[in-house]
Structure formats: structure tokens, C-alpha cells
Amino acid sequence: MSNSVLVINCGSSSIKYALVSERREDRIYGLAENLGASDARIKGITKGGQPIEIAIPNANHEQALETILSRLSEYQPQAIGHRVVHGGNLTKAELLTNEIVEKIREATPLAPLHNPAHLVGIEATMRLFPNLPQVAVFDTAFHQTMPDYAYRYALPKFLYTEHGVRRYGFHGTSHAYVSERGSTLAGMPNQGGWLTAHLGNGSSTCAIWNGKSVDTSMGLTPLEGLVMGTRSGDVDPSIHSFLAKNLGWDLYKIDRMLNNESGLYGLSNLSNDMRTLIEASERGNEDATLAIEVFCYRLAKSLAGLSCNLPQLDGLIFTGGIGENAAYIREKTLAYLPHFGFQLDQQRNNELKRGTEGRVDAGQGPQIWVIPTDEEGRIAQETRHVAEQQQHALATL
Ligand code: ADP
């Protein structure tokens, strides 16, 4: 397990962890959940693939991290990589110093639910392991290469210059990983024009030219863009004043509706889970059928829109729980892109199973790939890179 990196993703009451080494089969991972409550526990998978569950009643983030780290210390990770949702204008993974911690704090208004939870984890691990290099890897960083005409909103300029109101984009580690992997498998690593569709509970698309993000569907927050599990994606921004004036709703209620009660769940009035909707649609549920149709149409429209920023289109990559598993959704989405020349190989498309990567086009037109995402692997790779740069810098002092 030499060269391993511990990847940590802290939420408000949970911590996901993964010890990432050279071989994916050796990965140790798990989740501390219900932190602060009497039923707080750690559930995970050990090196031999055995499931474990440890009760840690009332443990806070620091206590949970101490337990996780003490169980993993025999593997001597070389660094810790923290997933951080919002990095403001930071363009790459950064070694965690007091200055970078402050920058993550400054970006809190842009990710009020996520960044404070990440900071709790970062501060705890910095106290517990002061000698281990710690790196922050940002969901937003990959999209910092977008040109200004893609990231600016048509709003008064001071909102951008003084308050940072612009499009940032998210899921950057996933779009970066699958585009690099897909283009490498296609024999043109980080070259050419690619569209990526990360479709999970949260979903986003990205256009990548020569390995760099040139546009993406999410914006100032992860609400913009596609139809998601419970998020509406794009709506007319006047919906706020419409609902306030006509239904008397306040901002909190409107935000909650758009983030938690909309999307596939809102449209179907049934579920945010694509599997449930596909099954219900097969049984004749019309709301489920419409939810799937809106999802695929809006996804196709987003991909077509983002393609405007690609000089040529070499391929499209599907990933995330839906993108990796739902052959039906891939097929339906491509049917809404008839003039792009995609030729789907139906049999290959239907045969791909969870966790398998593969090409599903018929050998003509832009390539179509399914690539299982690996955000932890990408975070570990970037963390290792930053930690090694730091060691090199210290050695040459
Ligand atoms: P998250 O964004 O929370 O990481 P995932 O990437 O795991 O979520 O994606 C969850 C979504 O993937 C759910 O909508 C789920 O229904 C969908 N999904 C998983 N397996 C399948 C499948 N076999 N067919 C269709 N959808 C699937």
C-alpha cells in the first residue's frame, strides 16, 4: 500500500473516506454517518473486501476522523486529499496552508452547505496530523479554463467584479477524469473535442477541448442546467417573483422547492431514482414517462448547446449512476441529437454492465463511450502530484 493517499469528503453529518493506492482493487473505503447523534457509526470495506461497522455514539467529525485514521495508520498514507466543492477562483488543487483555508472560507457564501462542512474536516485533520501534507481538490477548479463569454452572466458588471457572481461549474474532478480516460482509450489523450455527461443524483455536462473545460452546464450554484434527481435545473429566473407575488412564498421555500422537490421527483410525483422511474414507465405510469422524456430532451439540448464551444466533436462520454447504467437513457438522449452523426451500436449499448468501461458507437460519426467515474482516484492523483511538488520544492531549498 505504498504511495497511498487518504481521500476525505466531509459533509455536514457524514464523512466519506477512501484509501487510494496504485491498484483500484486494493481500495479501502467507507462512510462515517449520523455524526453528532447517538447512532453515529462507521461502515466500510476493509483491505480484504470485508464489510465492517463500528458504533461511535455521539462522535463529532474530529472523533470520527481519529477512529478512521487510527484504523488506516498501518498503511501510512503519504498525504490526505480533501474534496472541496467550491474553490472560488482557485484554478488547481492546492496544498492546505492557512491562506488556502481562508480562501475556502471566503468561498462559503457560494457553497453555504458544503464548504463549512469541508472546513470542519480540514481543520480536524490538520490538528490531528500536522506532519502529513494535506491538499484541497476543488470541484470548481477544472472549469476555471472557461472563457469569459461562457462564464459571465448578462447581469450588471459589479455583481461579478465585487460579489463573484459568475458561472463556476461543478463535478470538475469527474469531468476531468472521464474525459482524460476516454480520450486516452480513443488513442488521443487530452486531445480533441469531447462532451461529457455526468448523470447521478446531481447531473451536469461539460465541453472539453484539448483536455480543458471550455463550458459546463452548472453555474453559480449546482442548481443550474440539467434536470436532476430533485433539482429543477434551468427555469425562468422570474419564477421567484411569480411565486412570491402569487403564492406568497418566501425565498427559503422557493429555494427548497427548486433544490429538493423538483427535477425527476417533482415531475413524476413518484421518485428521484431513475431505476424506479424506468420501471414505473414500463408499467404505464405517464408521469414517470414524461419525467424521463424531459430529462433526456434537456440533456440533449445542453450537449448541443455546449458543442458550440468545440471546434470539432470527437466524442461523447456518459458517466455517473445513470450514465453508466441506463442504456435506455443513453439511447433516448442520442435520439434527440439526430444531426450530430452519432451512430449507437444498440447491442453494445445494452450489454455494458455497471463498472465496465466501453465504446458503444458503431464505428461511424463521433465516438460514444461509457466510462465509470472515479472521483476519489482523481483526487488522490492530484493530491499526490501536489505533495510531490512540495517535497521537491523543500529538497531544492
Ligand atoms: P450520486 O450523484 O449521489 O453519486 P449516482 O452517481 O450513484 O448518485 O447515481 C444515482 C442515480 O443512478 C439514481 O437515479 C439511480 O436510479 C441511477 N441508477 C443506478 N443504477 C441504475 C440502473 N441500472 N438503471 C438506471 N438508473 C440507475
Side-chain angles (χ1 to χ4, degrees), residues 317-377:
I317 298 167
F318 288 98
T319 193
I322 299 172
E324 292 164 30
N325 291 295
Y328 180 62
I329 300 297
R330 297 193 291 260
E331 184 177 343
K332 246 184 175 323
T333 303
L334 288 162
Y336 277 119
L337 295 164
H339 32 271
F340 280 71
F342 289 114
Q343 301 282 335
L344 186 70
D345 182 322
Q346 303 236 352
Q347 195 182 340
R348 272 196 231 165
N349 186 44
N350 291 333
E351 277 169 6
L352 266 193
K353 293 278 177 315
R354 176 145 196 115
T356 327
E357 59 189 15
R359 191 173 160 180
V360 294
D361 60 80
Q364 283 164 333
Q367 300 185 21
I368 311 167
W369 286 86
V370 177
I371 307 280
T373 195
D374 185 11
E375 288 168 283
E376 277 102 7

Side-chain angles (χ1 to χ4, degrees), residues 16 171 198-202 264 272-276 278 320-322 325-326 329 354 375:
K16 281 191 194 153
H171 290 145
H198 175 108
L199 311 174
N201 281 311
L264 293 172
N272 63 333
D273 191 296
M274 187 57 94
R275 265 169 306 197
T276 308
I278 294 174
I322 299 172
N325 291 295
I329 300 297
R354 176 145 196 115
E375 288 168 283

